[in-house]
Every structure is written in C-alpha cells, then in structure tokens.
Amino acid sequence: MNNRFTNWHDAHKKHRSLGAQFADLIARAIGSWPFLITQTIFVVSWITLNILGVISRWDPWPFILLNLLFSLQAAYAAPIIMMAQNRQVDRDRHHAEADYQTNLEAKREIEDLQMRLGRIEEEKLNRIIALLENKR
C-alpha cells in the first residue's frame, strides 16, 4: 500500500472495476429484505390476478410464465452473486495479508522494545555494580 494511512478496505475498493462495482451492487440488492418483500408482493399479486382473472388470465395455472421469469432471474442472479462472493474472498485475502503485515511490524517493534529494555536493565545493573565496587 502506498499511503501508510490507507486501510486495506479502501485500497481494495479503489481497484474494483465498473463491472465488479455493478455486481456488488446487484448482489447487495438481491440479498436484502426490501427485494424479498417486493418480490413476494409481485408473486402474490401475479398469482392473485391470474386466479381471479381480473384483467385476463395471461398465465393460468401452473403459472409457467412466472416460472420462466424466476428461471431467467436465477440464471442472471447466480453468476452475479458468485462474482460478488469471489470478490469477498479476494477482500478476505487482502485483509489477512494486511493483518499479517501489521502483526509482523508489531512483532518487530516488540522485539526492538525488548532489546532496548534489556540494554537499559544491563546499564542499570552495571551502574549498581560500579557503585557497589566504589563503596568497597
């Protein structure tokens, strides 16, 4: 990462293509309660209008046209959702790599601090020994 203050998510998000952004948007919409509620209302309305024959029975029982619409929706939704899941795997991998790098840096800093503390402790002991030897 070029900028030290950019987190892994921002860096990953910045490099997404337009198609990737669109697929993520579609997957997010399809996997939401508003979509599920809207689709349920649509299906119930479709079936009710066809059973009651309010306008005309354009799709009588067993609702083959409705099944065709669902098949078409599934044919496009499944690959889009898979693309979004693949990007999630990529995001997780980038996150894990960023965490690993952070852990390595923290380990180096801790080791450096331990070395400094060891030197300070050694210097103190040397001073104590020198003071004790001077008092003899």
Side-chain angles (χ1 to χ4, degrees):
M1 287 184 223
N2 297 345
N3 185 353
R4 209 177 129 97
F5 300 105
T6 300
N7 65 31
W8 65 269
H9 181 71
D10 292 338
H12 184 75
K13 197 172 180 180
K14 193 183 298 182
H15 292 92
R16 291 186 311 165
S17 68
L18 187 59
Q21 293 174 23
F22 181 71
D24 286 343
L25 179 70
I26 296 297
R28 196 174 316 118
I30 289 173
S32 69
W33 278 107
F35 177 81
L36 184 60
I37 291 167
T38 302
Q39 186 168 4
T40 302
I41 291 169
F42 174 77
V43 170
V44 169
S45 301
W46 182 286
I47 292 171
T48 303
L49 290 173
N50 276 287
I51 289 176
L52 298 177
V54 174
I55 300 171
S56 69
R57 292 189 174 153
W58 68 88
D59 188 21
W61 175 262
F63 310 115
I64 294 172
L65 184 57
L66 182 62
N67 285 324
L68 179 65
L69 290 174
F70 280 142
S71 296
L72 184 65
Q73 176 188 9
Y76 282 97
I80 290 172
I81 292 169
M82 291 298 292
M83 286 187 281
Q85 288 176 339
N86 288 341
R87 265 185 305 292
Q88 181 63 44
V89 169
D90 287 343
R91 280 191 295 265
D92 291 346
R93 186 172 34 78
H94 287 290
H95 188 188
E97 288 172 5
D99 283 349
Y100 178 72
Q101 290 303 320
T102 301
N103 290 341
L104 281 179
E105 289 176 24
K107 179 184 175 207
R108 284 186 210 118
E109 289 177 13
I110 290 171
E111 288 172 347
D112 185 48
L113 285 173
Q114 286 177 327
M115 295 292 284
R116 284 190 222 166
L117 288 173
R119 277 189 239 121
I120 290 171
E121 191 172 317
E122 188 177 332
E123 287 173 10
K124 283 183 181 179
L125 286 173
N126 288 339
R127 275 193 237 152
I128 291 172
I129 292 171
L131 287 172
L132 290 174
E133 286 177 352
N134 286 341
K135 287 188 177 183
R136 287 186 187 182

